[in-house]
Amino acid sequence: MTSQLLIQTIANAVAASSMYALIAVGLTLAFGVMQMANLAHAHVFMIGAYTVYALYALGGWPFWGAVAAALVVGAIVGLAIERTIFRPLRGDVVAGFIATAGLMFVIEVFCGEVWGWGHMRTIPSPYMRPFKIMGASVAFQRVLVIPFAVVCIGGLMIFMRRFRLGRALRAVAQDPETASLQGININMMTALALAIAGALAGIAGGLMSTIYAVTPALGGHLILPALIVVIVGGMGSVGGVVLASIIMGFVMTFVTTLVDGVTALMVSVAVMALLLPIRPQGLLGRVTN
Amino acid sequence: MKHDPQDKLDRLHKQSMKGQIGRRDFLKFLGIAGPASGLALALPSVAASAPAGLSEDEMVILSHLPDQQIGKKYPKGETINVGFLCALSGPDAGWGLPGLTGNNIWVDAVNKTGGLLVGGKRYPLKLHAFDDEANAAKALQGARQLVLEHDVKFISAIGGDAANSTAPFLTKHKVIYASLVPTDCHPDKPYVVAGGDITPQCNMFNALMAKMVLPSEKELGRPLKYALTTQDDIMSRQVGAWEIGAAIAMGFDIVYEEFFSVETTDFAPVVSALMATNPDVISLCEAWPEYQTMMWEQLFLQGYKGVVVQNYADWETNLTKIPAKYAAARQAIDSFPLMDDPWWGETSWQKSFTDVWNQRYGPGAPEDVKRRMTGIDWDHMIWLIPWSIGAQVAGKDAPGKWPSNDAILAALRKLPSFPTILGPGHMSGKEMFGIDNMIEEPVPMCMFNLEAKDKRIIAHLNFEPWYASIKNVVLKAVKKRGQYWTQR
C-alpha cells in the first residue's frame, strides 16, 4: 500500500466511522432505556433522507432547513414508535422485536408508495467539491458528518451525565423499577429516549441523504452494520458505539480497499463473532442479570 | 474542447491514423450509417383507415411488424399473456422497472389494432408483472406464478442469477425467457433468449472506444492500463470476462479486476482501491445504475483523470453528483443510446417511440413517472418485438392457431434480418454462447456531450467482423475466468 493510498484510506475510514457512529448511537440509546432493539431505527434514518429529498430536492428548501426538518420528523416518528409499539409491549422483548421488524416493512412500503420504487431518488449534492487533506480527497459532505457526529454524540454524553433528565434516563436504563420508586416518570423517559433516538436518526439520514442512494431499500441495507456496531460496542453504551464505529469503519474500509467489499463484510461479522464469546456484553457494555 | 458527435468521430479517425488501430479496420467497425439505420420502415402492412385511438407515432412503432394489416378486420383469437419478471424495487430496479413502460407501449399499440395478427386471427396481448427484487428464488416464484396462474408465453427479464433459477421450470413449460444479457444463453437453456441491449458486445466495444480516445502506448512510453469493477453477481462475472478479454485484445494491461458486494453502500474505498492502480481506463462494467452514480461521485471527488467506460450511464442522476465538465473530460463512454438522440433523425422509429413515451409517461402526462425516458424504457421491449415478428412469420405455416415458441424461434432463426430498435438484427450466438438465441444488431456507442449535458451516439458499430479479428485472445481470457459456455 502506497503512502498516498494509506492516507486516502485513513481519511475514508474516519468518515465511515463517523457515519456508522451517527447511525448507531440512537439505536443503542433506545436499547439502553427500553431494553428492546428497535429494528426500524435505520428506517427512521431513511425517513430523514426522504424528508430532505421531499423538501430540498423537490420542494426547493435550503439544504440545512431540510436537514433541520428531518430532525423534527425523526423525533416525531420516534415518539410515535414509542407510543404505539414500545409502551404497549414494554417488557416483552420478543414482541417488540417482531413489531419493529414489521414496522421496517411498513416504512419501506410507505416510502416506496409515496416516493416511488426503482431508481434512487436524485438529491443534488449541496457541496459538489472535495475536501483535500495531506493529499487525500474526501467528499465535503462526508467531512461534514465528522463534526456533526462529534457534536451529536458529545452532546448526548454531556446530556446523559450533567442534566437531570439525562441522569433520569440513565437511571431508567440501569433499573427502571428503582427509578420509578424515585419518582421518575418511566413513560416520559422512554418517550424522551425514542424522541432523541429518532431525532438523531432523522438528522443523520438528512445529512447523509446525498451520500447514500436513497431508495426504499436503504434502511434494510443499514440496519445490519448498525446492529453490528451496537453489539460490538455493547448494547446501551454510547461510548461503546463510538469505539465500535471506529473499529468497524477502519476494518470495513481497509479490507474493502485491500481485498474487496465481500471480504470486508465477512471480516466485520467475524470480528463480532470472535468478540462475543470473550465479552458477551460487548466492548463497553455492562453485565446484567 | 468541443464535444460534438461529428467532431468526436473526426478525432477518433485522426487518432486511428496515429496507429492505435488501423483506419481501415476502424471504418469497417463503423459499418452501419447512423441516421439511416434509425429511419422508420415503410408501412406496407398499414391499411388506409387506422383504428380510433391509434396515433401516427404508434403506427410507426407497429411498422416493425411484417403483417399487422392495421385497419382490417380479422377474427379474434384468445388473449396471449406475456410476463415481466424483473426487479421492480431494490438497487437493481433501475434495470427493471422502467422496462415496463416500453412493453406497455408495445402491448397497447398492438391491442389498439385489435391484437397481434397471427395466422389470420388477432390475438390481444396482456402484460403481467412480478417483482423478483433481483433475487433468484423470488424469480422462480414469479416464473411459476406467471406461467401457472397467467399462462404467459413470453417473459421479459433482466437475467443473470434469475435466468439460471427459472430455466428448468421455463424449459419444461417451453416459455421464452428474454434476458437482457446474451451471456445467459446456453444450450441447456433453449428458451432463454437475449441480445436486446447488446451486452457484452457493447462492453467489449468499450475497450475499443477507450483505446481510440487515449494516446497511444508509443506516445506514453508505457502500456495502457485498464481497471474494471462491478457488483459481484453472475451477470457481471460473465460480462466482465468478455470485456477483459477485449481489453487484452486491444493491448491493455489489466491492473484491477475486482467485484464488490451488492450490499455495498460506501464506494469511497472501492474507488480508492481502483485508483491506486493508476489506470488509464476505469470500467464500471455492469454496475447497477445507482452504484455507478455513487462511483462517479467518488471518481470525481478523489480526482480520477483517466477515461471512464460503462455499460449504462444515467446522466440525469449522475449530474446531480458531479459537474458536467468532469464527465466530459473523462470522455465517458457507454452504449445505451437515448431515443431522442439527434443521431436517429427527425423521422425515425426512435423519435416516434420517444414521442409516444413522453405523451404517456413524460412530465404532466397521464402516467407521469417523474423522470425522463432512459435506455431501460426501450431495452426490454427490444425482444418483445422480434418475438411478435416471429409469431407472425411462424403463424403463416399454421393458420388459425398461435404458434409454439419452438416455431417462433425457428422462424426468427430463418430470417436473414429483422428490424429492432437499434437497427437490423439477426439470430446469432452459437460461437460465443453455444446456441443461436441471441439477436445480433448494430451496437450504438455513446459519449457524454458537454453541450447537450447528456450522452450522444458517436458510432454505430458492427460486432461480428471486429469479434472475428480478436476472438482468439478474447476466448482465452474468457476461458481463463471459467466463463465460457462450455465451462458453465
Side-chain angles (χ1 to χ4, degrees), chain A residues 54-102:
Chain A
L55 298 179
Y56 165 63
L58 298 181
W61 281 38
F63 178 71
W64 290 107
V67 171
L71 179 145
V72 175
V73 170
I76 292 169
V77 173
L79 277 173
I81 292 172
E82 192 275 337
R83 193 69 189 83
T84 56
I85 294 180
F86 284 117
R87 195 178 296 186
L89 298 176
R90 187 177 297 154
D92 191 340
V93 176
V94 176
F97 187 87
I98 293 169
T100 53

Side-chain angles (χ1 to χ4, degrees), chain B residues 1-16 23 26 30 208-215 307-308 327-333 343 445-451 454-459:
Chain B
M1 183 186 297
K2 190 182 173 190
H3 279 265
D4 173 80
Q6 194 54 54
D7 279 358
K8 194 77 219 174
L9 268 179
D10 291 341
R11 203 150 65 81
L12 289 177
H13 283 297
K14 280 179 194 165
Q15 283 170 335
S16 73
R23 178 181 168 84
F26 179 54
L30 301 177
L208 169 69
M209 298 303 285
K211 180 92 176 176
M212 294 284 182
V213 299
L214 281 166
V307 171
V308 181
R330 301 289 65 78
Q331 314 204 64
I333 294 164
W343 175 278
M445 299 305 297
C446 308
M447 184 177 282
F448 183 78
N449 182 295
L450 187 58
E451 199 177 319
D454 215 328
K455 64 179 93 176
R456 287 287 177 260
I457 299 171
I458 56 166

Side-chain angles (χ1 to χ4, degrees), chain B residues 37 64 339 344 349-350 353 378 381-382 419-423 441:
Chain B
S37 65
H64 268 160
M339 289 295 129
W344 302 112
W349 199 102
Q350 291 78 4
F353 177 73
W378 52 261
M381 179 186 68
I382 212 165
T420 80
I421 198 165
L422 297 180
E441 64 222 313

Side-chain angles (χ1 to χ4, degrees), chain A residues 2 5 8-9 12 16 19-20 108 117-125 127-132 137-142 209-213 215-218 220-222 225 252-254 256-262 265, chain B residues 88-91 93-95 97-98 131 232 256 258-270 272-273 276 289-291 293-294 297-298 300-303 312 314 316-323 369-371 374 376:
Chain A
T2 62
L5 180 59
Q8 179 66 53
T9 307
N12 291 341
M19 286 153 65
Y20 285 135
E108 190 172 321
W117 302 92
H119 279 298
M120 65 187 275
R121 296 300 102 186
T122 303
I123 306 177
S125 296
Y127 307 104
M128 203 187 277
R129 63 175 185 267
F131 180 83
K132 292 188 185 287
S137 185
V138 186
F140 196 73
Q141 195 75 22
R142 283 169 185 253
S209 58
T210 58
I211 296 173
Y212 288 115
T215 71
L218 176 61
H221 283 310
L222 293 178
M252 284 291 289
T253 306
F254 269 83
T256 301
T257 307
L258 295 173
V259 191
D260 60 64
V262 182
L265 198 59
Chain B
L88 305 180
S89 60
W95 278 359
L97 186 63
D131 180 7
D232 193 3
Y256 189 91
E258 295 290 346
F259 298 81
F260 54 80
S261 161
V262 294
E263 303 297 331
T264 303
T265 52
D266 183 4
F267 286 92
V270 174
S272 296
E290 68 185 52
Y291 294 158
T293 299
M294 316 279 270
E297 182 181 29
Q298 284 302 319
F300 163 64
L301 292 167
Q302 295 188 33
Y312 169 72
D314 174 6
E316 187 182 26
T317 306
N318 289 354
L319 292 185
T320 64
K321 305 288 181 187
I322 61 166
V369 288
K370 306 224 176 330
R371 60 171 175 80
T374 73
I376 311 301

Side-chain angles (χ1 to χ4, degrees), chain A:
Chain A
M1 180 180 256
T2 62
S3 58
Q4 175 65 36
L5 180 59
L6 179 66
I7 294 167
Q8 179 66 53
T9 307
I10 290 171
N12 291 341
V14 170
S17 300
S18 308
M19 286 153 65
Y20 285 135
L22 204 47
I23 295 168
V25 69
L27 182 61
T28 205
L29 174 71
F31 182 84
V33 175
M34 310 292 310
Q35 302 297 312
M36 291 159 87
N38 178 11
L39 288 183
H41 181 75
H43 287 70
V44 182
F45 173 97
M46 183 171 81
I47 288 175
Y50 270 110
T51 303
V52 169
Y53 168 67
L55 298 179
Y56 165 63
L58 298 181
W61 281 38
F63 178 71
W64 290 107
V67 171
L71 179 145
V72 175
V73 170
I76 292 169
V77 173
L79 277 173
I81 292 172
E82 192 275 337
R83 193 69 189 83
T84 56
I85 294 180
F86 284 117
R87 195 178 296 186
L89 298 176
R90 187 177 297 154
D92 191 340
V93 176
V94 176
F97 187 87
I98 293 169
T100 53
L103 183 62
M104 289 167 61
F105 295 109
V106 171
I107 295 175
E108 190 172 321
V109 171
F110 173 80
C111 291
E113 291 299 317
V114 172
W115 288 294
W117 302 92
H119 279 298
M120 65 187 275
R121 296 300 102 186
T122 303
I123 306 177
S125 296
Y127 307 104
M128 203 187 277
R129 63 175 185 267
F131 180 83
K132 292 188 185 287
I133 178 168
M134 295 171 68
S137 185
V138 186
F140 196 73
Q141 195 75 22
R142 283 169 185 253
V143 175
L144 275 178
V145 177
I146 301 170
F148 248 82
V150 171
V151 169
C152 288
I153 296 169
L156 183 64
M157 288 172 105
I158 291 169
F159 172 74
M160 300 282 275
R161 286 170 198 279
R162 299 285 171 84
F163 287 75
R164 190 180 174 83
L165 274 175
R167 286 200 293 268
L169 270 179
R170 286 169 61 206
V172 173
Q174 284 173 15
D175 190 339
E177 213 164 296
T178 308
S180 174
L181 289 172
Q182 298 298 317
I184 295 172
N185 185 334
I186 303 292
N187 284 345
M188 197 181 109
M189 286 302 109
T190 54
L192 178 65
L194 263 292
I196 293 173
L200 285 169
I203 197 169
L207 194 63
M208 292 184 238
S209 58
T210 58
I211 296 173
Y212 288 115
V214 179
T215 71
L218 176 61
H221 283 310
L222 293 178
I223 190 63
L224 179 63
L227 280 173
I228 292 174
V229 164
V230 170
I231 291 168
V232 169
M235 301 286 269
S237 168
V238 175
V241 157
V242 174
L243 184 58
S245 296
I246 293 169
I247 293 171
M248 295 304 293
F250 274 74
V251 166
M252 284 291 289
T253 306
F254 269 83
V255 178
T256 301
T257 307
L258 295 173
V259 191
D260 60 64
V262 182
T263 312
L265 198 59
M266 287 164 62
V267 170
S268 45
V269 174
V271 167
M272 183 175 73
L274 288 171
L275 174 80
L276 289 182
I278 305 163
R279 282 191 66 83
Q281 71 275 33
L283 290 172
L284 299 182
R286 284 182 294 111
V287 181
T288 54
N289 292 327

